[in-house]
């Protein structure tokens, strides 16, 4: 797995983030199963609660392009150590991925490799199995 194009894409889209309230820009880059990359950044709102995370924006952009199969995700923040996706984004990623390698990065070059299965074990399953 060549992570470098995905890392570059996540760091680049992080610069597009609209984060005037938290001043915490986030970039996310998804690798598509068929090749190619789809990116997202966080887009905040003055009502705060309507702010959307980078990861969920990347998923939404990919689905709108007809892409639902992903092979890897990079999340770029300024945190040290690099920050992992929030709980809401883990749930949304789990809608489309049984598992997913996730690389967390920051501008300083720190990296942590993890996965959706590690970050989000014991997921909600719907519909339940029939009795
Ligand atoms: N944020 C993300 O974009 N992804 C996450 O996984 C966690 C948080 C954004 C939301 C908000 O715009 C800012 O980071 C601070 O929480």
């Amino acid at each position: 797995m060549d992570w470098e194009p995905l890392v570059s894409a996540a760091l680049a889209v992080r610069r597009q983030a609209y984060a005037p309230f938290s001043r915490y820009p986030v970039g996310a880059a998804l690798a598509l199963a068929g090749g190619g990359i789809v990116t997202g950044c966080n887009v905040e709102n003055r009502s705060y609660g309507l702010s959307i995370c980078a990861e969920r924006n990347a998923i939404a952009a990919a689905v709108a392009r007809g892409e639902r199969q992903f092979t890897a995700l990079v999340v770029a923040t300024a945190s040290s150590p690099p920050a992992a996706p929030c709980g809401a984004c883990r749930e949304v990623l789990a809608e489309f991925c049984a598992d997913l390698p996730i690389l967390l990065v920051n501008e300083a070059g720190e990296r942590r490799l993890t996965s959706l299965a590690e970050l989000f074990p014991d997921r909600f399953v719907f519909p339940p199995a029939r009795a």
Side-chain angles (χ1 to χ4, degrees), residues 18-19 22 24 26 41-44 51-55 84-86 89:
Y18 177 72
S22 70
Y24 186 79
V26 183
C41 59
N42 52 334
V43 179
E44 297 187 344
S51 300
I52 312 174
C53 293
E55 298 90 326
C86 77
C89 288

Side-chain angles (χ1 to χ4, degrees), residues 14-86:
R14 179 173 171 268
R15 286 177 219 121
Q16 307 299 333
Y18 177 72
F21 304 106
S22 70
R23 302 195 183 281
Y24 186 79
V26 183
L30 277 169
L32 306 178
I37 293 172
V38 174
T39 59
C41 59
N42 52 334
V43 179
E44 297 187 344
N45 186 269
R46 65 194 58 200
S47 73
Y48 287 37
L50 290 178
S51 300
I52 312 174
C53 293
E55 298 90 326
R56 274 178 287 159
N57 273 333
I59 288 275
V63 171
R65 277 174 47 166
E67 303 286 352
R68 298 177 187 172
Q69 291 189 307
F70 312 114
T71 57
L73 170 68
V74 170
V75 180
T77 63
S79 293
S80 178
C86 77

